[in-house]
Amino acid sequence: MLDTIIEGAVAFMLIAGGAFAFIGSLGLTHLKDFYMRLHGPSKTTTLGVGFTLIGSLIYFSREDGPVIQELLITIFAFITAPVSAHMLAKSALHHKLKPDPRTRGNPVELESDKPRHTIEEAPQGNSPLP
Amino acid sequence: MIPPTRWLPMPVLSLLLLVVWLLLQESVALGQWLLGGVLAILIPVVCRPFWERQPTIKRPLKLLGYFFRVLGDIVTANIQVSKLILDPRGRMRPAFVEYPLTLKENFPITILASTITMTPGTVSAHLRLDGRTLLIHALDVADTKALIDEIHQRYERPLLEIFES
Amino acid sequence: MIDMALWIALALFCAAIVLNFYRAVVGPSLPDRVLAVDTMYMNSIALIVLFGIWVNNKDYFEAALLIAMLGFVSTIAICKYLLRGDIIE
């Protein structure tokens, strides 16, 4: 009886993980602009991989005592995914990728007429006076 | 929490290193405790110059509560985003939102930005250091004002209490 | 039951990697391609873990951990390059 419940839990975790990861990649493929595509992988794929790892954790814990190593990758994935998403969004803003026309709000970073400089890369030194 | 000393400059990091070492070795034998303990003391001492000032956690219990709330929100967020992606008509209302920060220190701002990325329909895109604003891209938002209020109430207020009160 | 779930999950992750590959090849901009490769390594972590369940050997965990760390560091490095290196200006 208990075995059946544990097996069910493992099966559920694996299938839910696969489904979430697939949906995330589907979003990566068919959404319209980069900023929308960023949502799928950063949230959904991370949770999908997390579910799969927890499924594997339960699977290996069932025979010889608790195995909690896999939790390490899960935590690592959940800490690093937002950081890489943030860096990717930053580089997309730097390259001034066009957002979907439906997007409301236009940040200064995307205005193309004036050159954008952050504080640390502002021109300094021998620039000719106007 | 634990006050830093000369030979233990980052107590929380040391504890974390020890736990990760024990998890990686998959054993709690005395030898692993000793080796892990030596590494947990040595690594922070060597890495000290690379680090900025350590933030102080004023209310550890509240941090735990925050952690579980975010964990719950991650699952909700994923179901919501999955629905949006699978919606055949693709009705979305994407928007760039400028979020005014009240947090001052770097570490709490990092946690807030990560939380925003992991929770419903928002990705933090850019942190402007001069204006103290965070640029957020939202996948489906009706009212940007309500979104700003919700983030402030739900995530920034607890972080303020934990780190800066 | 687990066998069945394992096959379904493997199929889903393989399909996800194919979709990532499509975006990495087609992707109109560089950040798109980097995002696709980033997602691909996340999916490959799950594939390796699933393979570990299949052959009933938990040592594959360490390979997954290595991929997770290297993937994260390389994504950040490429993003830094995209931010600082003068690619378009």
Side-chain angles (χ1 to χ4, degrees):
Chain A
M1 184 59 201
L2 192 65
D3 270 6
T4 322
I5 292 173
I6 292 174
E7 280 193 11
V10 174
F12 172 77
M13 282 294 179
L14 294 186
I15 291 178
F20 271 129
F22 180 71
I23 291 169
S25 300
L26 200 65
L28 177 72
T29 312
H30 89 167
L31 290 182
K32 295 287 186 301
D33 71 344
F34 176 80
Y35 306 99
M36 282 153 85
R37 286 200 278 266
L38 195 57
H39 286 268
S42 71
K43 288 194 258 287
T44 324
T45 300
T46 312
L47 192 78
V49 173
F51 268 1
T52 311
L53 287 163
I54 291 171
S56 135
L57 191 154
I58 303 170
Y59 178 82
F60 286 118
S61 303
R62 148 191 97 122
E63 283 151 15
D64 35 30
V67 180
I68 42 177
Q69 280 182 328
E70 255 103 352
L71 210 58
L72 221 58
I73 311 182
T74 317
I75 296 169
F76 189 77
F78 273 96
I79 292 174
T80 55
V83 180
S84 34
H86 185 87
M87 291 299 286
L88 280 164
K90 253 180 124 136
S91 53
L93 283 172
H94 183 78
H95 284 228
K96 297 196 172 61
L97 296 186
K98 286 269 171 297
D100 196 59
R102 284 175 295 171
T103 311
R104 282 165 295 151
N106 46 340
V108 243
E109 282 82 358
L110 287 174
E111 285 169 11
S112 50
D113 48 356
K114 59 184 175 198
R116 189 193 58 83
H117 288 294
T118 55
I119 298 167
E120 59 271 27
E121 54 188 28
Q124 42 188 260
N126 48 12
S127 60
L129 288 166
Chain B
M1 288 216 300
I2 319 159
T5 58
R6 189 155 166 269
W7 285 103
L8 210 59
M10 290 174 274
V12 182
L13 180 68
S14 298
L15 203 66
L16 200 71
L17 283 171
L18 183 59
V19 169
V20 169
W21 177 264
L22 291 176
L23 276 178
L24 275 175
Q25 295 299 328
E26 251 195 307
S27 94
V28 283
L30 181 66
Q32 302 298 349
W33 277 97
L34 281 176
L35 191 49
V38 168
L39 286 174
I41 290 172
L42 209 62
I43 290 173
V45 169
V46 174
C47 295
R48 182 87 187 110
F50 299 111
W51 281 67
E52 291 186 12
R53 200 170 57 81
Q54 278 278 100
T56 46
I57 302 166
K58 302 223 169 67
R59 296 191 189 167
L61 272 180
K62 217 153 182 165
L63 188 65
L64 209 65
Y66 182 78
F67 176 75
F68 283 112
R69 166 187 286 183
V70 171
L71 219 57
D73 283 356
I74 286 173
V75 178
T76 335
N78 279 287
I79 293 165
Q80 203 177 330
V81 171
S82 305
K83 269 188 199 153
L84 281 173
I85 290 173
L86 291 177
D87 187 359
R89 280 156 296 181
R91 282 176 305 181
M92 291 178 199
R93 290 161 292 178
F96 278 108
V97 183
E98 306 223 351
Y99 181 77
L101 283 166
T102 34
L103 289 165
K104 293 281 183 312
E105 299 197 33
N106 286 341
F107 186 64
I109 291 176
T110 313
I111 294 188
L112 181 70
S114 300
T115 314
I116 288 171
T117 302
M118 294 311 285
T119 49
T122 47
V123 167
S124 62
H126 191 63
L127 171 66
R128 300 205 190 99
L129 289 171
D130 45 348
R132 291 306 218 186
T133 50
L134 194 62
L135 188 67
I136 298 173
H137 183 265
L139 194 54
D140 182 49
V141 61
D143 182 7
T144 51
K145 192 87 178 55
L147 180 75
I148 290 173
D149 278 350
E150 196 199 328
I151 291 173
H152 185 77
Q153 289 299 329
R154 204 168 165 77
Y155 306 116
E156 196 172 15
R157 180 80 50 87
L159 281 175
L160 266 173
E161 282 173 19
I162 293 165
F163 288 102
E164 292 180 8
S165 64
Chain C
M1 185 153 63
I2 287 180
D3 272 357
M4 190 85 166
L6 195 60
W7 280 109
I8 294 172
L10 276 171
L12 284 169
F13 275 109
C14 288
I17 286 186
V18 170
L19 292 177
N20 297 157
F21 191 69
Y22 165 80
R23 178 54 70 193
V25 172
V26 171
S29 64
L30 269 173
D32 269 312
R33 291 173 211 265
V34 180
L35 177 64
V37 174
D38 184 78
T39 318
M40 212 192 263
Y41 91 73
M42 285 297 283
N43 284 327
S44 67
I45 293 171
L47 264 189
I48 286 183
V49 169
L50 288 176
F51 184 71
I53 296 180
W54 190 13
V55 298
N56 207 354
N57 184 347
K58 65 186 172 200
D59 291 343
Y60 285 93
F61 148 84
E62 276 159 38
L65 188 65
L66 270 180
I67 291 183
M69 289 178 163
L70 278 178
F72 170 65
V73 172
S74 43
T75 305
I76 294 299
I78 293 172
C79 284
K80 268 291 183 207
Y81 178 62
L82 290 183
L83 278 170
R84 296 282 171 213
D86 283 339
I87 293 178
I88 50 162
E89 289 168 45

